[in-house]
Amino acid sequence: MEATAAAREEIVRAACPHDCPDTCAMLVTVREEGGRKVAVKVAGDPEHPTTRGVLCTKVSRYLERTYHPERLLQPLKRVGRKGEGRFERVSWDSALDDIAARLQRIAAVDPQRIVPYSYAGTMGLVQGEAMASRFFHRLGASLLDRTICATAGGEALAHTLGIRSGPAMESFAEAKLIVLWGTNAIASNLHLWSFVQQAKRNGAKLIAVDPYRSDTAEKCHRHIALLPGTDGALALGLAHVLIREGWLDHDYIDRYTLGFEALAQRAAEFPPARVARLCGIGVEDVEQLAHEYWHIRPAAIRLNYGMQRCAGGGNAVRAVACLPALAGHWRDAAGGVLLSSSGVAEVDGARLYRPDLLGGRTPRTINMSTIGADLAAASPPIEALIVYDSNPVAVAPDSRAVAAGFAREDLFTVVLEHFRTDTADYADYVLPATTQLEHFDVHKSYGHLYVLANNPAIEPLGEALPNSEIFRRLAARMGFAEPCFAETDEQLAAQAFMRDGATASIDWQTLKRTGWQRLDVPQPYAPFADGGFPTPSGRCEFHSQALADLGLDPVPGYVPPHEAGDGPLAARYPLAMISPPARNFLNSTFVNVKSLRDAEGEPTLQIHPADAAARGIHDGERVRVFNDRGRFELAARVTDRARPGVVVALSIWWKKLAADGRNANEVTSARLTDMGRAPTFYDCRVEVARA
Ligand SMILES: Nc1nc2c(c(=O)[nH]1)N[C@H]1C(S)=C(S)[C@@H](COP(=O)(O)OP(=O)(O)OC[C@H]3O[C@@H](n4cnc5c(=O)[nH]c(N)nc54)[C@H](O)[C@@H]3O)O[C@H]1N2
Ligand SMILES: Nc1nc2c(c(=O)[nH]1)N[C@H]1C(S)=C(S)[C@@H](COP(=O)(O)OP(=O)(O)OC[C@H]3O[C@@H](n4cnc5c(=O)[nH]c(N)nc54)[C@H](O)[C@@H]3O)O[C@H]1N2
Ligand code: SF4
Ligand SMILES: [Mo]
């Protein structure tokens, strides 16, 4: 903390906790008012190399969210029916005593009947899983497979590059060709976008690959509007042309890759004419992009998770991730492909999460993406669900099944939250959690190469407690006496990272003073300039024996969408719906912040003029979107930003803040991806009609 010139004001070094690749360094201005500390301003740290003084619109409103009149400030106990959202105030002691007693009764039969449900409401390592996973490991609860976002692409990278890594965010400023592939960076990766803008001013060419003309695609030089879920075909088509033309870095391929012949054989099946047909684009789109990809250097691809939410998401990421090795782009720090940088900073999971507390037990694993089906039919049944850092009733696919599961009267549900979300309405107990301004944390990033500290700026509001403290108190009541349950948040933060490699020099005491620190990796960062892929073979694996051993295709292939492509479903449900992030929300976070909700307006469905005309739909009219899984209503926006055959419902709205009490996940599917057991949110056929 540093005193500023103004009397009794101080600046606290913090970190944005949200599920966003930018992980911004924040400066919080705090003032003493009536003997209490009040946060009066949040700003981006001007000295942090990727934040560069800027917070996005959402987090600029962090004070409005923190001091929101509807913040949960006391523990609540359900008095109404499940989902009704009627609660009474109770004390922490009575809530925790009752929760511990209920969990003990269930655990006496089988602790696996208790299931944690969490994701990335906070990306902080302390308030995320540190104390929580110790608690659940000690209890012997079911394990949770955290697949809802990134595992298809993450496993694809692991089987290709060996690590989630790629060019540094700052290096994009130096690229001359930037392919924004399945990413609306202006909404979801604003700070990368500012480096892309810098590159553009220096003459770089920008190309978007996205079914939707997003804000980002609109500002690119070219936009390839392919059909959802066909990215694997496009990438193999590019490989086809590179190989056909001999646009190959033979030296790089010989020294640093494995399985070129197998990849060439696969790519031979994807001539541009076939690719154009599969992707619903022009032959010249494929030819021209391949030409540019060889001739313009450095060439950087920014992939985002949007393109792996279809049946073939894993193979598609693998196919794209092979391209830089073919063309030798990894040689340059501003070349290669960036999906995630999260593998560079390694968390010391053994110390932080303490899987040893399982003591040899091997509980079953529940996939968070199929929670609806599992609440209905898992065996042994799920009898208790502890939800934190997530809002599954709004965000999980096949929402009708999810809500039905949460509505089970025999399910005991505890939700740790800031607000009465759609999920909290189903809880038996809602426990008030602190926000980032009120607790310690430590962060790594999946978009840049820095770690950050978060210092508390203010005291917890009301009776709110940090997640860590809630699990600490529950552990004490359950009689868990291991010393690790007494560790403070700062002790947890201090043991978060491995003491070797890129995080060897991180010291918590220093970090919390300076706010952030670059990982110990070379600058400029060109991770695979000389090979060095941490795969089993040490090479970029076009052919992966590990995948073959899993019974999967060892060579990247094109796995067609479950639904979005031409199949039997196409006749009944002719439109493919995607529901990518809205700019003013972060998943379902911020939807209840009025200024941001006002900026977003109302839930809308963007539909191409031809598709609208065929259904007699006019701009602004209310429409119903439906399929066999469910239906929801919203306002039509007739626009050619949606390509023909594809409708776009920017997400994720709170159901209860939508006029019909529903959102896009009523129709999304819980079928899983080819790798990573992840959901296929953007692989979803629907029909649309006037409401
Ligand atoms: N403002 C904002 N920022 C966010 C989020 C948010 O909700 N709002 N969410 C955060 C989270 S959790 C994540 S995981 C990240 C990244 O989240 P992503 O889901 O990658 O989101 P976007 O970067 O917006 O990019 C998605 C883009 O992919 C496009 N797309 C959809 N289907 C396909 C397809 O099959 N192929 C291709 N090529 N493109 C497709 C969509 O039209 C959209 O423009 O963003 C994070 N940042
Ligand atoms: N249709 C559709 N569905 C999607 C997506 C999509 O693009 N389209 N995107 C998917 C993706 S990529 C993701 S990552 C998931 C995201 O799903 P979630 O991880 O569930 O994300 P949020 O909806 O933002 O919910 C996070 C919740 O955590 C709470 N929270 C934040 N900080 C804390 C804390 O410190 N303590 C506690 N106890 N709670 C806290 C917030 O108040 C918020 O309600 O949604 C997925 N669902
Ligand atoms: S949500 Fe992303 S861009 Fe916005 S402040 Fe947080 S880290 Fe930065
Ligand atoms: Mo995500």
Side-chain angles (χ1 to χ4, degrees), residues 434-668:
T434 46
T435 70
Q436 191 77 340
L437 298 190
E438 302 152 60
H439 56 225
F440 276 107
D441 221 322
V442 67
H443 290 255
K444 61 185 239 182
S445 169
Y446 64 98
H448 63 57
L449 298 171
Y450 304 82
V451 290
L452 300 90
N454 184 72
N455 291 287
I458 57 173
E459 294 296 315
L461 298 190
E463 296 176 19
L465 291 175
N467 289 346
S468 56
E469 179 62 16
I470 298 174
F471 284 108
R472 233 179 247 120
R473 292 187 186 187
L474 267 178
R477 279 177 170 74
M478 304 282 285
F480 299 165
E482 288 80 357
C484 72
F485 290 107
E487 286 175 355
T488 64
D489 285 1
E490 288 206 69
Q491 284 172 320
L492 293 171
Q495 55 190 282
F497 295 109
M498 296 300 281
R499 288 170 180 168
D500 53 13
T503 50
S505 68
I506 291 166
D507 164 62
W508 169 249
Q509 293 305 325
T510 311
L511 189 67
K512 73 172 178 170
R513 210 174 54 247
T514 59
W516 49 269
Q517 181 184 330
R518 192 170 194 276
L519 292 169
D520 192 13
V521 291
Q523 191 158 21
Y525 182 64
F528 311 121
D530 307 304
F533 295 93
T535 54
S537 65
R539 290 161 174 257
C540 175
E541 296 199 345
F542 300 152
H543 180 282
S544 160
Q545 189 54 45
L547 281 176
D549 294 344
L550 292 169
L552 298 173
D553 191 344
V555 182
Y558 172 55
V559 177
H562 291 309
E563 298 189 357
D566 291 330
L569 220 56
R572 266 194 304 149
Y573 299 118
L575 298 169
M577 186 192 85
I578 57 175
S579 49
R583 184 171 180 179
N584 294 288
F585 304 151
L586 206 136
N587 299 325
S588 76
T589 304
F590 295 108
V591 180
N592 65 328
V593 173
K594 189 171 181 309
S595 63
L596 293 168
R597 190 169 68 251
D598 288 348
E600 210 53 49
E602 61 180 329
T604 60
L605 186 79
Q606 299 181 50
I607 182 167
H608 188 271
D611 291 326
R615 292 163 179 80
I617 292 167
H618 301 283
D619 190 59
E621 248 179 339
R622 283 194 73 74
V623 292
R624 186 163 50 91
V625 179
F626 59 98
N627 60 21
D628 291 343
R629 289 179 289 268
R631 67 193 156 83
F632 71 114
E633 283 184 19
L634 64 189
R637 280 285 138 74
V638 178
T639 166
D640 66 0
R641 295 179 75 154
R643 60 157 288 161
V646 178
V647 290
V648 183
L650 298 180
S651 288
I652 308 171
W653 283 82
W654 281 24
K655 294 180 176 185
K656 63 172 141 183
L657 294 177
D660 66 336
R662 296 191 163 99
N663 73 10
N665 282 319
E666 301 284 340
V667 297
T668 57

Side-chain angles (χ1 to χ4, degrees), residues 18-19 65 118-122 127 148-149 305 309 387-392 394-396 416-419 421 431 433-436 439 467 577 579-581 586-589 651-652 654 664-665 668 681-682:
H18 291 295
D19 188 352
R65 184 173 191 277
S118 69
Y119 201 63
T122 169
Q127 305 308 335
I148 202 147
C149 172
Y305 287 109
R309 306 198 199 291
V387 182
Y388 52 102
D389 303 338
S390 185
N391 183 11
V395 308
L416 286 60
E417 252 300 348
H418 298 150
F419 293 103
T421 58
L431 304 178
T434 46
T435 70
Q436 191 77 340
H439 56 225
N467 289 346
M577 186 192 85
S579 49
L586 206 136
N587 299 325
S588 76
T589 304
S651 288
I652 308 171
W654 281 24
N665 282 319
T668 57
F681 289 110
Y682 305 165

Side-chain angles (χ1 to χ4, degrees), residues 18-30:
H18 291 295
D19 188 352
C20 168
D22 297 19
T23 320
C24 289
M26 299 203 297
L27 299 177
V28 185
T29 307
V30 176

Side-chain angles (χ1 to χ4, degrees), residues 104 107 111 131-141 143 353-359 361 363 474-476 478-485:
Q104 269 165 338
M131 204 45 92
S133 60
R134 291 175 179 193
F135 177 83
F136 291 111
H137 284 145
R138 173 68 176 75
L139 183 60
L143 304 174
Y353 305 136
R354 298 294 304 270
D356 59 296
L357 292 168
L358 283 168
R361 294 168 294 178
L474 267 178
M478 304 282 285
F480 299 165
E482 288 80 357
C484 72
F485 290 107

